[in-house]
Each structure stands twice: as C-alpha cells, then as structure tokens.
Amino acid sequence: MPYIPNNPIAKSQLYLDLLSNRQEALSSNLANMDTPNYVRRDIEFSQYLNAGGSLLETRLSQKLGPSGVIAAKEQQLSAADELALMQQNSILYAVAARQMSTTIAEIKTAISVGK
C-alpha cells in the first residue's frame, strides 16, 4: 500500500503530482502515435485515492484505475481517445487544485479565528 500523507495539503499535492504525471504520459502517447513499436503508457493510481477515505478521493479512484505506476498497455492508439483522456485528466486536476485551495482557505480561517 502506498504512503498517503495525513496532512491535507501534502495529500492534495500528491494528487496534483499524480495527475500531472498522468498528463505527461498521455501527451507522450499522443506525440508518439506514429512511432513504430511505441507502447501506450498511462498512470493509474486509485490505490492512492482509495486509502484517503474522502468522497472526492473515492470518486477520483473510480475514474483513474488500480495502481500508482506507469503501466504499459498493448492497445491501439487513437488521437481522439488520448485527447479525451487528457481533457478528463485536466478536469480532475482542476478539481484537485480547487480542493487544495479550499484546504488552504480553511487553514487561513482557523488561524485568523485563533488570533
């Protein structure tokens, strides 16, 4: 089981990093579609999200798959499919970034109330 930080900011950073790495893998697939013997790559990391326990994490894990490593997948590359996955990933990144912003706002509120 992967390490999942308890700190909400560190947890959000982990998710943002994983989504960023997935975007790089997907864009590499698109760039190498015509390369002979190229094997499609993807990053699947639901085990990270399932361990977190929140509704957002559960929903993300249902979308993103079973492991946290780059997985080679023997399948036909399609530009339309890769672009759709990149768009989906970018929406998930925006959700995770918003979650990070919300967490930071809550911390700021707690600090200002405590003064």
Side-chain angles (χ1 to χ4, degrees), residues 11-88:
K11 189 186 294 187
S12 295
Q13 182 63 47
L14 172 66
Y15 300 155
L16 290 170
D17 289 345
L18 289 168
L19 288 163
S20 177
N21 289 338
R22 184 170 193 234
Q23 196 75 355
E24 288 177 27
L26 294 172
S27 64
S28 178
N29 294 340
L30 196 57
N32 289 296
M33 285 187 63
D34 295 327
T35 303
N37 299 321
Y38 180 78
V39 176
R40 183 183 182 278
R41 299 182 318 150
D42 197 355
I43 295 183
E44 301 173 3
F45 45 90
S46 68
Q47 68 183 5
Y48 287 94
L49 300 175
N50 281 335
S54 80
L55 182 58
L56 171 65
E57 293 158 357
T58 301
R59 286 186 181 160
L60 284 173
S61 71
Q62 291 168 349
K63 299 267 187 210
L64 296 174
S67 85
V69 296
I70 294 177
K73 297 192 175 185
E74 299 285 342
Q75 63 188 59
Q76 190 69 5
L77 291 175
S78 159
D81 290 343
E82 293 301 314
L83 288 170
L85 287 171
M86 288 177 74
Q87 182 63 33
Q88 176 190 35

